[in-house]
């Protein structure tokens, strides 16, 4: 680890090696963050069970600094969306996401969270959590094995390693806007889409009434 | 059908002429009862004939005939086969009397039928939607209700097979999402129900303090759907007086994945992997129940070796489920994660076996109609032998030694969350929940299926009906499962594992069947109706985790709020099955 940190490209005089470390701010910042990712304790469905197994005796993701699962979003860094996202649940998921402080990451674990999975066609199923919140890493599988989850989390660590303190969104001037919470209407509604929903429903009404009108005219 | 049932049936017809008629449709059983007389007939059945246990209530939409049917499966808590009753009602104004006054266990199931089918249950105390939210458009299980990604009524879809192409449903939807809105809907004027109707049923009163004591106000507390204690996305809404629970409502549907709707579009075999995902901790027993139901319709029986393999897998599932449940119960009591780690270690060994035979740790998809998918690979038999004769018995004793006399478990478990035997039966509790209340009802004995008659084992039963007994009974059951496993491993014959040729498209004759197994969580039943097509006309899952939540309120009221967490843990639910 120290070797990895300690290669910024400056020569360290031999007598000081092992006592002094020269590194870049980005490296030490990212190293600290990626080595203590605290996941949100949040199991949605079957994939959640494999997540628990990953945390438990055999696979143990404490080895990667992730054993501190927090039940509160305010204390967590990464949301592992482990399971089927339903329309009834998505308002809560968006709310939890908004409550997590920056820097925050989202891992979509399994087919369901990534794109709807086996239940995609269901009337209460969201076709992937990325329809509502941004996702950093997708992990395929149904359910992904614990090894696959670990691999996904390592991919997330690599992603963190590439970030730069100059560019990360949480240090920019503009405030970060919260994602509007979807509303449970006759179907799930994104508040940003109200105008197009109305347009669609109006269009449907018109086409229905015009198609209903055709046989009436024919009869006449 | 046993002689006794036949006697009951004959008397039924003579006692209630015209009201009760035999269901003469081909492949159907039971009786059709005039809806208005339903309550009268079932009360008689319960009081005079001993049919005191209402197992399953479900709706069926007979769209071509313009009828809705509500199907009831009644049992005796002393054992025996089912009495199937049906009440018919016109589709457009579907309404039947509620059975909640006779069998309180009907409460949640009737709400489900209302939610999904729009069948109104006259006299139901709290008829609200249960899996979907208040305000959702339509009743989605109706045959003419189409989801946003609707393509065709049944699979395989022509667009995909035999010469289809790959495309994403999102691309065909206006919003590129799985949504659809009714014509003329205006979101600006929409007022979401929120939880108004839910809270309305809870009641909040302010009690003035008497004689200078402190006045208390009742508060409503929401636990879940994101709460570490609720084992997934379950939600409890409790009213508290101080710390004491005065009312509790379970709220579910946060993992409602439309299992049944999808199941009715799927072909029969396509449903098998979906059943894995019901109770995702025990996929093997889920397969078992579904295979039994469809085999009943098809009239096939698996060969000997397959029967033994099925029993072995189902009992392993029970063990892995129970030790997981015990670990989690201890979690809920505050022994955070340590007992869990012990349980997971053993469970992993069982999962290794599942992975070896089926290719997947959790989603085994192992059963086929008339057999199982694969035989044991090389070396697995030895592994199983070692596990059931040596390792598991040792480890169960170890768990017993560490936990059973634990001070915390005893003081928080004994006498808390009591369910009496009468209540347990009336509220349709099943599985360990029922048996911990002193009712020795185990389907493997009460209405045997597969080859369970051959094995020597005891039905575990405990008598206090509290959290502690529900913990103890799981240990007992694991020991009994080990006994069954040891016999099964010893006696398993060589031979084929599949009756006939394995088929993708099975031919299922028209009719109805109810296949039920004693799952680790309780009675898991599948109600399947075939109309001779490649897809089931009706596919219903009677999920133990769902029905076992009906008595949650009566177990919790009067206890402290912290106990509700432990009581829920002692029921042992899995949300995939609760919400389906
Ligand atoms: S991806 Fe598969 S295992 Fe994971 S939640 Fe979805 S159905 Fe369950």
């Amino acid at each position: 680890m120290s070797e990895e940190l300690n290669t910024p490209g400056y020569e360290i005089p031999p007598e000081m090696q092992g006592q002094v470390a020269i590194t870049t701010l980005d490296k030490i910042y990212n190293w600290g963050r990626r080595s203590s990712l605290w996941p949100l304790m949040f199991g949605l469905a079957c994939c959640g069970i494999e997540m628990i197994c990953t945390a438990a005796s055999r696979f143990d993701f404490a080895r990667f600094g992730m054993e501190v699962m927090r039940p509160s979003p305010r204390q967590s860094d990464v949301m592992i969306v482990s399971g089927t996202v339903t329309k009834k649940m998505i308002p809560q998921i968006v709310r939890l996401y908004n409550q997590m402080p920056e820097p925050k990451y989202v891992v979509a674990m399994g087919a369901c969270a990534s794109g709807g999975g086996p239940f995609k066609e269901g009337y209460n199923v969201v076709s992937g959590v990325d329809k509502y919140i941004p996702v950093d890493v997708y992990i395929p599988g149904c359910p992904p094995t614990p090894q696959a989850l670990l691999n996904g989390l390592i991919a997330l660590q690599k992603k963190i390693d590439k970030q730069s303190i100059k560019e990360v969104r949480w240090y920019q001037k503009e405030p970060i806007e919260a994602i509007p919470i979807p509303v449970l209407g006759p179907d799930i509604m994104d508040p940003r889409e109200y105008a197009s929903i109305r347009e669609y429903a109006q269009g449907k009404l018109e086409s229905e009434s015009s198609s209903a009108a055709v046989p009436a005219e024919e009869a006449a | 059908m046993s002689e006794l049932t036949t006697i009951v049936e004959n008397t039924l017809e003579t006692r209630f002429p015209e009201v009760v008629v035999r269901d003469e449709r081909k492949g159907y059983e039971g009786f059709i009862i005039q809806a208005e007389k339903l309550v009268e007939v079932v009360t008689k059945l319960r009081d005079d004939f001993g049919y005191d246990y209402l197992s399953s209530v479900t709706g069926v939409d007979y769209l071509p005939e313009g009828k809705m049917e509500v199907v009831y499966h009644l049992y005796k808590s002393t054992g025996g086969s089912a009495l199937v009753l049906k009440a018919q009602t016109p589709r457009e104004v579907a309404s039947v009397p509620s059975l909640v006054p006779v069998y309180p266990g009907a409460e949640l199931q009737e709400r489900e039928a209302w939610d999904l089918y729009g069948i109104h249950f006259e006299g139901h105390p709290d008829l609200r939607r249960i899996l979907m939210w208040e305000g959702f458009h339509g009743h989605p299980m109706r045959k003419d209700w189409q989801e946003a990604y609707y393509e065709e009524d049944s699979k395989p879809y022509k667009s995909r097979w035999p010469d289809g192409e790959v495309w994403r449903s999102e691309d065909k939807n206006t919003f590129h999402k799985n949504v659809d809105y009714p014509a003329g809907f205006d979101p600006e004027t929409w007022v979401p129900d929120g939880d108004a109707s839910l809270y309305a049923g809870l009641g909040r009163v302010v009690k003035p303090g008497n004689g200078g004591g402190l006045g208390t106000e009742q508060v409503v507390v929401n636990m879940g759907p994101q709460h570490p204690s609720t084992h997934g996305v379950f939600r409890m809404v409790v009213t508290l007086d101080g710390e004491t629970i005065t009312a509790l409502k379970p709220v579910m549907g946060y993992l409602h994945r439309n299992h049944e709707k999808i199941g009715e579009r799927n072909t029969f075999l396509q449903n098998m992997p979906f059943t894995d995902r019901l109770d995702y901790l025990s996929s093997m027993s889920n397969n078992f129940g579904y295979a039994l139901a469809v085999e009943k319709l098809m009239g096939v029986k698996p060969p000997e070796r397959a029967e033994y393999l099925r029993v072995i897998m189902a009992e392993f599932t029970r063990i892995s489920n129970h030790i997981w449940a015990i670990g989690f119960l201890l979690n809920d009591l505050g022994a955070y994660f340590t007992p869990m780690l012990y349980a997971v270690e053993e469970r992993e060994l069982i999962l290794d076996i599942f992975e070896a035979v089926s290719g997947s740790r959790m989603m085994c998809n192992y059963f086929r109609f008339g057999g199982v998918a694969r035989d044991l690979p090389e070396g697995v038999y030895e592994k199983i032998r070692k596990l059931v004769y040596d390792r598991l018995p040792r480890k169960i004793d170890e768990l017993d030694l560490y936990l059973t006399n634990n001070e915390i478990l005893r003081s928080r478990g004994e006498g808390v969350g009591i369910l009496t035997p009468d209540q347990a039966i009336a509220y349709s509790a099943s599985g360990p929940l029922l048996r911990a209340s002193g009712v020795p009802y185990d389907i493997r004995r009460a209405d045997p299926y597969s080859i369970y008659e051959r094995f020597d084992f005891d039905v575990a039963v405990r008598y206090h009906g509290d959290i502690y007994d529900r913990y103890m009974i799981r240990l007992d059951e694991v020991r009994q499962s080990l006994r069954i496993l040891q016999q099964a491993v010893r006696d398993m014959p060589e031979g084929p594992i599949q009756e006939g040729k394995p088929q993708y498209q099975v031919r299922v004759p028209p009719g109805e069947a109810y296949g039920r197994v004693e799952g680790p969580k309780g009675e898991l039943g599948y109600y399947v109706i075939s109309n001779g097509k490649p897809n089931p006309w009706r596919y219903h899952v009677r999920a133990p985790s769902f029905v076992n939540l009906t008595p949650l309120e009566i177990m919790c009221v009067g206890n402290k709020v912290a106990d509700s967490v432990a009581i829920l843990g002692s029921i042992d639910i899995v949300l995939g099955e609760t919400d389906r």
Side-chain angles (χ1 to χ4, degrees):
Chain A
M1 183 46 66
S2 67
E3 196 157 318
E4 190 190 314
L5 264 185
N6 206 350
T7 43
Y10 300 103
E11 193 69 21
I12 298 179
E15 68 273 19
M16 297 178 81
Q17 270 175 15
Q19 298 166 39
V20 174
I22 301 177
T23 190
T24 61
L25 192 54
D26 272 344
K27 265 194 184 158
I28 189 97
Y29 175 65
N30 290 339
W31 173 74
R33 287 190 307 129
R34 59 97 110 162
S35 309
S36 64
L37 280 174
W38 290 7
L40 179 62
M41 187 192 277
F42 175 52
L44 280 178
C46 355
C47 281
I49 304 297
E50 284 297 54
M51 183 174 73
I52 296 170
C53 288
T54 315
S57 357
R58 190 187 267 184
F59 300 97
D60 190 14
F61 60 21
R63 296 177 292 156
F64 305 91
M66 294 166 189
E67 77 277 27
V68 194
M69 283 221 175
R70 306 310 298 185
S72 162
R74 309 265 180 208
Q75 302 167 334
S76 18
D77 307 306
V78 49
M79 175 192 259
I80 303 178
V81 184
S82 55
T84 317
V85 181
T86 63
K87 293 178 186 171
K88 197 167 175 178
M89 191 63 194
I90 189 73
Q92 276 80 342
I93 295 179
V94 173
R95 194 167 282 142
L96 286 169
Y97 178 80
N98 285 340
Q99 285 173 350
M100 284 169 67
E102 293 282 359
K104 57 186 169 191
Y105 301 92
V106 176
V107 173
M109 176 183 183
C112 284
S114 307
F119 298 94
K120 180 172 176 177
E121 68 200 76
Y123 49 86
N124 191 26
V125 176
V126 171
S127 319
V129 72
D130 59 359
K131 293 276 182 294
Y132 294 89
I133 60 176
V135 172
D136 294 281
V137 176
Y138 297 87
I139 305 174
C142 181
T145 55
Q147 292 94 329
L149 176 58
L150 284 177
N151 185 41
L153 290 170
I154 292 170
L156 178 64
Q157 291 185 324
K158 286 190 184 143
K159 181 168 181 171
I160 294 174
D161 278 340
K162 296 220 175 64
Q163 290 186 313
S164 161
I165 206 166
K166 277 200 300 251
E167 285 151 19
V168 288
R169 66 172 178 271
W170 51 94
Y171 284 139
Q172 305 307 312
K173 290 247 165 50
E174 323 67 75
I176 300 171
E177 290 299 331
I179 297 176
I181 313 279
V183 177
L184 294 174
D187 206 328
I188 191 81
M189 304 187 288
D190 191 327
R192 289 168 295 195
E193 287 177 349
Y194 273 10
S196 53
I197 291 174
R198 183 176 329 103
E199 204 175 296
Y200 169 81
Q202 278 305 328
K204 202 168 162 187
L205 188 68
E206 276 153 31
S207 73
E208 264 177 25
S209 56
S210 67
S211 68
V214 173
E217 276 166 22
E218 276 172 3
Chain B
M1 199 168 288
S2 80
E3 217 169 294
L4 195 68
T5 356
T6 330
I7 295 172
V8 170
E9 291 183 345
N10 290 336
T11 16
L12 251 193
E13 272 183 314
T14 40
R15 270 231 210 161
F16 299 99
E18 316 259 300
V19 173
V20 178
V21 291
R22 211 171 269 276
D23 191 347
E24 303 283 6
R25 289 170 291 180
K26 195 165 178 302
Y28 284 67
E29 57 174 325
F31 298 92
I32 301 178
I33 298 189
Q34 256 178 31
E36 308 82 62
K37 293 282 166 59
L38 185 67
V39 177
E40 191 188 325
V41 176
V42 293
T43 315
K44 264 261 133 52
L45 282 170
R46 184 192 65 178
D47 298 340
D48 297 357
F49 293 103
Y51 282 95
D52 51 357
Y53 187 82
L54 175 70
S55 152
S56 151
V57 181
T58 185
V60 184
D61 180 4
Y62 287 100
L63 177 64
E65 288 112 72
K67 272 188 308 206
M68 285 278 177
E69 194 172 271
V70 185
V71 184
Y72 304 90
H73 284 81
L74 300 183
Y75 288 93
K76 294 180 188 170
S77 59
T78 47
S81 53
L83 183 63
V84 191
L85 304 181
K86 287 148 197 175
Q88 295 184 334
T89 163
R91 232 176 142 259
E92 295 321 318
V93 280
S95 173
V96 294
S98 166
L99 287 195
V100 176
V102 192
Y103 300 105
E107 185 186 343
L108 298 184
Q109 303 196 62
E110 286 186 348
R111 275 179 67 190
E112 182 190 314
W114 157 248
D115 185 359
L116 302 184
Y117 280 97
I119 301 173
H120 189 267
F121 289 88
E122 201 103 12
H124 189 287
D126 186 22
L127 197 63
R128 283 178 293 120
R129 283 187 184 263
I130 186 165
L131 296 177
M132 300 306 288
W133 60 89
E134 234 26 86
F136 184 74
H137 68 109
H139 298 285
M141 281 299 288
R142 289 189 165 220
K143 285 283 178 187
D144 51 1
W145 192 96
Q146 293 174 353
E147 58 272 36
Y149 283 169
Y150 174 80
E151 250 193 274
E152 271 175 65
D153 277 343
S154 56
K155 291 178 188 170
Y157 296 147
K158 288 190 198 67
S159 63
R160 315 283 171 102
W161 190 85
D163 41 25
E165 6 115 39
V166 178
W167 47 265
R168 302 184 331 139
S169 313
E170 284 99 318
D171 299 339
K172 305 209 165 185
N173 185 287
T174 320
F175 299 93
H176 306 292
K177 272 194 267 207
N178 186 6
V179 289
D180 192 17
Y181 304 95
F185 168 70
D186 184 358
E188 301 292 347
T189 56
W190 174 259
V191 189
D193 173 77
D195 284 322
S197 50
L198 166 66
Y199 294 138
L202 276 168
R204 256 177 83 181
V205 274
V206 182
K207 267 198 298 188
N210 45 357
L214 275 181
T216 53
E217 187 188 353
Q218 298 204 334
V219 286
V220 175
V221 178
N222 270 291
M223 298 168 77
Q226 145 64 10
H227 191 279
S229 75
T230 55
H231 296 209
V233 285
F234 179 66
R235 176 173 160 212
M236 294 189 274
V237 185
V238 290
T239 326
L240 297 180
D241 181 0
E243 267 196 69
T244 310
I245 298 175
T246 55
L248 181 148
K249 291 268 176 229
V251 186
M252 45 201 121
Y254 295 98
L255 191 55
H256 179 45
R257 303 192 274 197
N258 328 126
H259 192 91
E260 293 178 6
K261 186 85 180 174
I262 296 175
E264 287 172 15
R265 302 230 189 278
N266 281 343
T267 63
F268 281 95
L269 188 60
Q270 274 174 342
N271 272 336
M272 192 59 89
F274 279 85
T275 63
D276 290 337
R277 287 156 181 82
L278 280 168
D279 171 359
Y280 32 74
L281 287 170
S282 7
S283 60
M284 290 285 194
S285 23
N286 302 346
N287 288 180
F288 208 162
Y290 181 57
L292 282 183
V294 178
E295 281 165 6
K296 250 192 208 170
L297 280 172
M298 293 169 61
V300 293
K301 253 187 99 56
E304 277 291 286
R305 187 175 171 84
E307 293 274 26
Y308 275 90
L309 283 172
R310 285 178 168 195
V311 168
I312 289 175
M313 296 309 159
E315 294 308 316
F316 265 137
T317 305
R318 192 180 320 277
I319 295 176
S320 78
N321 178 79
H322 281 356
I323 53 182
W324 180 277
I326 288 173
F328 257 101
L329 176 64
L330 268 290
N331 249 11
D332 294 339
L333 292 176
Y336 187 65
F337 227 56
T338 309
M340 196 64 222
L341 289 178
Y342 281 80
V344 170
E345 198 178 340
E346 304 317 306
R347 180 174 176 266
E348 287 286 338
L349 299 176
I350 296 175
L351 294 193
D352 282 349
I353 295 187
F354 290 169
E355 190 171 9
V357 297
S358 76
S360 171
R361 287 155 48 87
M362 276 171 66
M363 305 303 173
C364 302
N365 185 17
Y366 183 58
F367 287 42
R368 294 290 177 271
F369 308 128
V372 294
R374 291 176 199 84
D375 207 338
L376 296 181
E378 183 112 11
V380 174
Y381 181 75
E382 261 320 298
K383 262 195 187 163
I384 295 180
R385 267 183 66 92
K386 283 217 185 86
L387 263 188
V388 301
Y389 280 108
D390 176 35
R391 166 115 191 179
L392 286 178
R394 227 173 351 109
K395 291 290 170 176
I396 299 305
D397 289 346
E398 198 178 276
L399 265 187
D400 190 0
L401 178 73
Y402 293 157
L403 300 179
T404 303
N405 282 315
N406 177 295
E407 179 62 31
I408 298 173
L409 182 62
R410 291 204 90 116
S411 56
R412 287 208 54 194
E414 283 176 334
V416 180
I418 290 183
L419 189 67
T420 65
D422 294 343
Q423 287 172 333
I425 294 171
Y427 280 83
S428 305
S430 61
L433 183 62
L434 179 64
R435 291 188 289 272
S437 290
V439 184
Y441 189 85
D442 184 319
I443 300 171
R444 291 172 295 175
R445 278 279 186 258
D447 185 13
Y449 53 95
S450 188
I451 50 167
Y452 276 106
E453 290 136 309
R454 294 184 199 173
F455 300 112
D456 189 17
F457 69 98
D458 300 321
V459 173
V461 58
R462 297 258 164 184
Y463 297 93
H464 297 105
D466 54 7
I467 295 178
Y468 187 71
D469 271 12
R470 274 171 232 141
Y471 155 81
M472 288 302 290
I473 200 149
R474 294 207 160 87
L475 273 187
D476 297 346
E477 284 190 13
V478 167
R479 294 213 165 96
Q480 296 304 327
S481 288
L482 283 172
R483 270 175 78 187
I484 299 176
L485 276 169
Q486 287 164 356
Q487 297 165 49
V489 166
R490 186 190 66 205
D491 301 340
M492 184 166 65
E494 291 296 324
I497 53 153
Q498 171 77 39
E499 184 67 38
K501 266 208 326 262
Q503 290 170 310
Y504 283 117
Q505 196 70 279
V506 288
R507 196 175 286 275
V508 183
E512 61 167 2
Y514 185 65
R516 58 172 196 158
V517 293
E518 184 65 45
K521 298 194 166 59
E523 173 181 340
L524 175 64
Y526 290 84
Y527 180 65
V528 182
I529 294 181
S530 162
N531 57 356
K533 302 250 172 63
N535 317 75
W537 177 258
R538 178 73 177 110
Y539 166 72
H540 172 70
V541 185
R542 187 264 186 217
S545 302
F546 175 66
V547 184
N548 280 354
L549 283 172
T550 328
L552 179 65
E553 178 168 16
I554 55 166
M555 287 194 274
C556 285
V557 166
N559 285 304
K560 297 272 182 277
V561 63
D563 291 329
S564 68
V565 172
I567 293 170
L568 182 71
S570 72
I571 301 179
D572 183 23
I573 59 164
V574 152
L575 267 296
E577 191 180 65
T578 308
D579 294 345
R580 282 153 292 149

